[in-house]
Amino acid sequence: MTDENTGQLAINTIRTLSMDAVQRAKSGHPGAPMALAPLIYTLWNRVLQYDPQYPIWPNRDRFVLSNGHASMLLWSILHLTGVQAVDADYSPVGEPAVTLDDIRRFRQLGSKAPGHPEYRWVSGVETTTGPLGQGVATAVGMAIAQKWLASRYNRPGFELFKYNVYVVCGDGCLMEGISSEAASLAGHLGLDNLCWVFDNNHITIEGNTNITFTEDVAARFFAYGWNVLRVGDANDVDRIERALQVFRQTKGRPTLIVLESHIGYGSPHKQDTSQCHGEPLGEEEVRLTKRSYGWPEDAKFLVPDGVYAHFARGIGARGNAARSEWLTLFSAYRNKFPELAGEIELMQRRELPSGWDRNLPVFPADPKGLAGREASGKVLNVLAQNIPWVIGGSADLGPSNKTTLTFEGAGHFQAANPGGRNLHFGIREHAMGAIVNGLALSKLRGFGASFFIFIDYARPAVRLSALMELPTLFIFSHDALGDGEDGPTHQPVEHLASLRAMPGLITMRPGDANEVVEAYRYIMKLRHEPAVLVLSRQALPTLDRSKYAPASGVAQGAYVLADAPDGEPDLILIASGSELILAVQAHEKLLAEGIRSRVVSMPSWEIFEQQSREYQDSVLPPDVEARVAVEQASTFGWERYVGLKGRVIGMHTFGASAPLKELQKKFGFEPDQVVAVAKQVLWGETHPSRDCRPPYIGPILTTPLEMHPGPKAPTPELLGKTGSKA
């Protein structure tokens, strides 16, 4: 059999494995794999610089299947090329990433052939692609990372990082807005190492794309500054290969290849219809389609003789030779540039350099203090100098987020300066989040920043970061009512609760400058968890740590900041972020009245939940049921810490447009209000009069004060007096 014939046999193997897997699973998307098998075959066996024996080789080409519903394309090619599995410590384990049995159990529990590509679950998957558009945008981050790595580490005669990023995407990816943001930025940056192949099959679930998608895609990408190519026949492997060669020769701009394909190719009754997009073909149609391929009609999961060997002679031999050559080059590089080689090795293992936290600031006690974002900017600039592969930026809010790296040599990443450490995402939060994921997938410590309210735009990427267990960092300032005059559209209320509901995500809301330092100290040591750092716009007093507990308690998620004189409180005040000072002020007032209170700073629920039960009980003793939590956010979830007998001073409505002090008064975020609620929780509404007990004031709710349906809230001058019911 000629090599050409074996190539066609390999293509049809990809097609039939995909058809059989979907049919057995009774769910899936067979049409795109049937159409794109020639593309995947050509890319992997003729073009890709990739060693299946070591799929985390740093200089490998990256392949991203952005239209992840076509996952059988990926499982087929990973199996046929013999890609090997790698463990969580980035070491090969001596077994295939995807077995034929995994493919037989496509979409079943425990199979390494799930419904969509899942990073960390299956070796050879470069990124999780579920929501359409995330893959193409993440690939932009990968392409940026390659440019940065090459700029920092390549030397004459030592091109360590010279790889390309290939993406297959569909009309759904291009319709989602995130792809527009990502493509625009990629064109601006001239990422000539990035190639998107657009599967233009004209079909979506609802039918032909002419009902929704009639734009001139080529003209759109020309306008973005891309090179645009067209291949009119998805079965023409030679033309596909030539188009990919043109991409590799194109300088100064990314490439889009518009590939005209027939979804469900070969199916006599379902080709070019939506019926083969998201459902099995049916047993009879599968047999008829196999007949059209010249395939044994009743054979299932067949890999004919010679197919494995064909891929071994192609990508197997080529990839192994390329990696061997690279390892020899890196060995010589290590001898000549030992410090740079050491950085690369640390980075690949997601480890930190020696002294990474040296010179971190220690902020002196200051009643005026400084904003969380200000403290963050100072800490971030120190860390970025100590850890050279920290790179990131903001969605056009660097001066406001204080995330701009200002030290000498930091520079700004642009087409003419790919070694810059400051990324300018523009007003593109959707793409920013995915690009940060792409940086992390390339082993850089990427960060992105914006106002906290705009986490809604970045949320899909943050969720994928948690799903992939990436050590990304998202820095969000303007965390509560501090953005006063901008009004409720810029005041996040439900956002903390929604992030705390996300599995695998560390959310941290520090309460003063030194807690910011300790939050960063914790975050930078993470290897498999993303973190969101939520910071204040306004200045927060810097607490006197000779009087209060050290901020190192942040590493436990919550800690006793201030306590009753004998360490046995009758009342616990819990707070995070800008409300921590309210709890402290209320605590001091309560102490002055002889009320034994404790202040617990709780910057991170997730970290606190990871602590031992013994530690948790030492911070929140179970027998102390009088508890008050204070946070300028939704009260949702706080009941787990305050219990049924506790209260939460928080937000049950959106905010308003006004100066911060007026908003704090309007919504009850004042020390005297905290004191009043604390006393009510401690003594109850009908407790006999006693010293320091306020008059009966009716139930204090967490709704805005003017909306309270009962008696008016007390004024400060009434607190501490006795009297009859109002």
Side-chain angles (χ1 to χ4, degrees):
M1 184 179 291
T2 66
D3 202 55
E4 181 179 349
N5 289 338
T6 308
Q8 186 60 50
L9 195 65
I11 290 169
N12 287 338
T13 301
I14 296 171
R15 285 170 166 154
T16 56
L17 285 177
S18 301
M19 292 159 50
D20 287 341
V22 172
Q23 191 62 40
R24 175 169 289 187
K26 296 182 174 58
S27 72
H29 301 75
M34 294 162 68
L36 296 179
L39 167 68
I40 298 304
Y41 165 79
T42 305
L43 179 59
W44 279 72
N45 212 41
R46 293 189 180 185
V47 176
L48 215 60
Q49 178 180 270
Y50 186 95
D51 185 2
Q53 298 300 307
Y54 200 78
I56 57 170
W57 167 40
N59 196 42
R60 70 190 181 281
D61 285 341
R62 269 61 167 179
F63 171 74
V64 174
L65 185 66
S66 189
N67 49 342
H69 54 269
S71 60
M72 271 310 306
L73 271 174
L74 191 52
W75 309 143
S76 297
I77 200 67
L78 292 181
H79 171 68
L80 295 174
T81 58
V83 171
Q84 295 296 292
V86 177
D87 64 19
D89 293 322
Y90 311 109
S91 299
V93 297
E95 60 185 46
V98 178
T99 66
L100 194 57
D101 190 53
D102 287 319
I103 291 175
R104 289 190 183 99
R105 295 186 298 111
F106 175 56
R107 288 184 164 227
Q108 306 307 301
L109 187 64
S111 172
K112 293 300 177 69
H116 286 76
E118 301 288 354
Y119 177 77
R120 288 187 63 80
W121 177 244
V122 188
S123 299
V125 175
E126 299 289 357
T127 182
T128 296
T129 52
L132 292 176
Q134 286 289 326
V136 290
T138 301
V140 173
M142 295 176 178
I144 290 172
Q146 186 278 325
K147 291 290 186 180
W148 187 87
L149 289 166
S151 177
R152 180 167 180 83
Y153 296 110
N154 287 3
R155 294 292 185 271
F158 294 94
E159 281 194 296
L160 293 183
F161 295 99
K162 187 183 179 182
Y163 59 82
N164 294 313
V165 182
Y166 297 90
V167 186
V168 173
C169 61
D171 40 56
C173 294
L174 297 192
M175 281 191 252
E176 291 286 0
I178 188 173
S179 65
S180 298
E181 293 183 7
S184 174
L185 184 58
H188 164 73
L189 293 174
L191 298 177
D192 52 21
N193 56 350
L194 179 64
C195 177
W196 294 1
V197 182
F198 167 38
D199 174 25
N200 190 26
N201 62 31
H202 305 283
I203 295 295
T204 64
I205 291 175
E206 293 186 354
N208 195 286
T209 54
N210 61 19
I211 64 173
T212 57
F213 192 55
T214 54
E215 68 185 43
D216 188 334
V217 171
R220 168 182 159 194
F221 276 77
F222 275 128
Y224 288 146
W226 288 53
N227 181 39
V228 180
L229 307 173
R230 181 178 177 273
V231 175
D233 181 3
N235 290 305
D236 192 334
V237 295
D238 292 330
R239 289 186 64 187
I240 291 171
E241 186 174 11
R242 283 198 296 274
L244 294 170
Q245 288 172 346
V246 171
F247 152 65
R248 288 181 293 173
Q249 296 166 358
T250 299
K251 302 302 177 185
R253 58 179 58 198
T255 293
L256 176 74
I257 299 174
V258 180
L259 181 68
E260 305 291 341
S261 75
H262 295 279
I263 191 169
Y265 176 80
S267 172
H269 301 109
K270 296 187 177 182
Q271 177 178 311
D272 293 329
T273 72
S274 59
Q275 291 177 289
C276 62
H277 172 77
E279 60 186 54
L281 296 177
E283 294 287 355
E284 180 61 24
E285 192 71 9
V286 167
R287 282 194 292 271
L288 293 174
T289 305
K290 288 179 178 177
R291 181 187 301 172
S292 75
Y293 297 155
W295 202 262
E297 295 179 25
D298 295 321
K300 297 183 186 302
F301 302 100
L302 173 65
V303 181
D305 292 341
V307 171
Y308 291 121
H310 181 70
F311 281 109
R313 291 192 302 270
I315 187 173
R318 186 179 67 253
N320 182 263
R323 186 172 74 91
S324 297
E325 182 180 341
W326 187 88
L327 290 174
T328 300
L329 185 68
F330 186 71
S331 179
Y333 182 89
R334 185 190 291 111
N335 291 332
K336 192 167 184 179
F337 307 104
E339 290 187 8
L340 292 177
E343 287 184 11
I344 294 170
E345 291 171 331
L346 286 171
M347 191 190 320
Q348 293 302 310
R349 297 193 300 267
R350 297 201 190 281
E351 296 177 359
L352 298 171
S354 176
W356 65 271
D357 58 350
R358 66 182 180 274
N359 302 325
L360 287 179
V362 177
F363 295 98
D366 183 355
K368 293 183 178 179
L370 71 165
R373 58 176 176 162
E374 294 280 358
S376 169
K378 296 178 185 298
V379 178
L380 185 60
N381 268 274
V382 172
L383 288 170
Q385 291 179 76
N386 295 343
I387 308 170
W389 50 95
V390 169
I391 174 175
S394 178
D396 197 52
L397 290 169
S400 191
N401 296 140
K402 309 300 179 185
T403 50
T404 303
L405 302 178
T406 57
F407 57 86
E408 184 177 356
H412 299 270
F413 188 100
Q414 293 291 326
N417 184 34
R421 305 280 292 282
N422 286 292
L423 291 177
H424 298 281
F425 295 105
I427 307 166
R428 303 182 180 101
E429 286 90 355
H430 292 279
M432 177 186 74
I435 289 169
V436 169
N437 286 347
L439 298 175
L441 288 161
S442 307
K443 303 298 179 69
L444 302 183
R445 290 305 296 262
F447 69 88
S450 187
F451 290 169
F452 191 34
I453 193 73
F454 301 132
I455 183 70
D456 284 339
Y457 286 177
R459 186 183 306 276
V462 174
R463 183 178 187 273
L464 287 183
S465 192
L467 188 61
M468 290 189 279
E469 301 179 10
L470 299 179
T472 50
L473 172 58
F474 298 95
I475 303 168
F476 292 99
S477 66
H478 298 58
D479 66 334
L481 299 180
D483 202 19
E485 291 86 349
D486 277 337
T489 62
H490 282 56
Q491 294 163 0
V493 173
E494 73 278 20
H495 298 66
L496 279 169
S498 67
L499 291 184
R500 289 166 177 160
M502 192 178 293
L505 178 67
I506 301 295
T507 303
M508 303 190 78
R509 188 173 183 245
D512 79 342
N514 287 307
E515 283 200 352
V516 172
V517 175
E518 297 306 318
Y520 269 106
R521 198 188 304 274
Y522 183 92
I523 289 168
M524 296 312 298
K525 290 185 286 187
L526 296 174
R527 296 179 70 223
H528 299 300
E529 298 91 3
V532 172
L533 189 57
V534 185
L535 304 166
S536 73
R537 175 201 188 196
Q538 74 276 17
L540 305 178
T542 305
L543 297 171
D544 183 351
R545 296 295 169 165
S546 66
K547 179 179 180 182
Y548 302 108
S552 56
V554 167
Q556 280 71 51
Y559 65 102
V560 178
L561 177 69
D563 210 354
D566 57 2
E568 296 185 3
D570 295 323
L571 168 75
I572 301 175
L573 305 175
I574 316 170
S576 78
S578 54
E579 291 72 68
L580 183 60
I581 189 60
L582 287 180
V584 170
Q585 292 168 341
H587 168 73
E588 299 293 349
K589 287 176 176 285
L590 291 166
L591 281 183
E593 298 183 32
I595 299 175
R596 299 144 63 89
S597 67
R598 165 181 290 186
V599 177
V600 171
S601 174
M602 188 175 280
S604 175
W605 292 13
E606 299 83 14
I607 300 173
F608 184 62
E609 294 291 341
Q610 294 170 6
Q611 308 309 306
S612 67
R613 174 55 61 186
E614 181 181 10
Y615 177 79
Q616 292 180 29
D617 288 349
S618 73
V619 175
L620 300 174
D623 59 340
V624 182
E625 295 182 326
R627 302 178 182 185
V628 177
V630 190
E631 192 171 63
Q632 288 182 19
S634 167
T635 63
F636 186 82
W638 272 109
E639 61 275 1
R640 71 171 63 184
Y641 299 119
V642 301
L644 295 177
K645 297 182 180 180
R647 295 286 182 86
V648 184
I649 301 175
M651 297 292 291
H652 279 197
T653 69
F654 294 110
S657 177
L660 176 59
K661 288 186 178 181
E662 293 182 25
L663 292 174
Q664 289 171 328
K665 181 177 180 180
K666 170 184 173 65
F667 292 110
F669 294 103
E670 296 183 305
D672 289 331
Q673 176 70 359
V674 178
V675 168
V677 174
K679 289 178 178 179
Q680 191 179 66
V681 169
L682 183 60
W683 293 321
E685 297 171 359
T686 59
H687 194 284
S689 295
R690 58 180 291 179
D691 292 342
C692 305
R693 179 177 177 257
Y696 174 74
I697 55 176
I700 299 179
L701 304 179
T702 51
T703 50
L705 297 184
E706 83 280 4
M707 295 177 64
H708 189 276
K712 293 182 178 179
T715 56
E717 61 270 16
L718 289 178
L719 294 174
K721 297 181 180 180
T722 60
S724 61
K725 293 182 180 180

